[in-house]
Amino acid sequence: MNTAKWMKPAVLALTFSLLLGACSGGADNNSGGSVEGTSDGALPVLTESPYVLAGTEEGVADFTAVNSGYESPYATDTCWNITPAVVSENSEFAVFKYGSSNATFVLYNGISYPIGGGVNSDGVTSMALADVTGDKVYDLCYAYSEGSSSHVGYFNPADGTANDLSGVIGGQAVVLNAEGNSLQVCAAEVSGYESLTAMTLSAGDKLAEVLITGDGPALEMASSSGDA
């Protein structure tokens, strides 16, 4: 979906891409360490609500030096640090996004990895920390849209791979929201939109939930979502 078009002033009331909502609690260790979990041993889901996407220049020069192999299709394309505080304070992930191409990368252990959609998509618009691989280490979960569909993906620091969850939500904007220790996908509302690197996202109705299955994490759609 072309979220940028949705965000014109006349249509700001429409919902947007994906949001990763809030949960209480915190963690003291980074993504490579041992984080104290809940009573059942699971790591708490960490995100922000409302989710404020705010690009800054912090660390951009160092990142672009590492990411020198990337060539934007745009002659001028400004890179922004879009790492939310909950991610920077509880992990070693740093996330950067180019303002024109929307290409998004995670910097981890000095290496840059592409995540989410890039050209012809919105790039990553929200993030959370959750152990969706079940190895007691935080994965970087993120939301993005591509074409007419919204997606949830995760970066696994154990093997340095970016992965889309099976299942997509089509035809509407969505968000991930933490409820208890589960990561849910909900409808999203946008306010304060300036660009795809600057906006505030708030969670609405639940559309799906992220489940850990024998084949890895996947989306289980809510019966009312009407998605494939």
Side-chain angles (χ1 to χ4, degrees), residues 20-21 25-32 35 44-49 51-53 58 81-96 105-108 115 124-130 138-143 155 157 183:
L20 301 172
D28 297 325
N29 300 91
N30 61 40
S31 60
V35 180
V45 176
L46 302 179
T47 188
E48 300 176 352
S49 180
Y51 188 95
V52 179
L53 178 61
E58 182 178 359
N81 184 336
I82 62 166
T83 315
V86 69
V87 170
S88 61
E89 292 171 0
N90 295 286
S91 77
E92 294 179 353
F93 303 126
V95 183
F96 297 85
F105 299 82
V106 56
L107 182 65
Y108 179 69
I115 60 174
V124 170
T125 52
S126 55
M127 289 165 269
L129 295 175
Y138 276 128
D139 304 295
L140 177 69
C141 300
Y142 50 87
F155 174 77
L183 189 60

Side-chain angles (χ1 to χ4, degrees), residues 63-95:
F63 166 73
T64 53
V66 171
N67 200 44
S68 58
Y70 171 70
E71 295 185 8
S72 172
Y74 296 87
T76 58
D77 199 351
T78 303
C79 182
W80 300 94
N81 184 336
I82 62 166
T83 315
V86 69
V87 170
S88 61
E89 292 171 0
N90 295 286
S91 77
E92 294 179 353
F93 303 126
V95 183

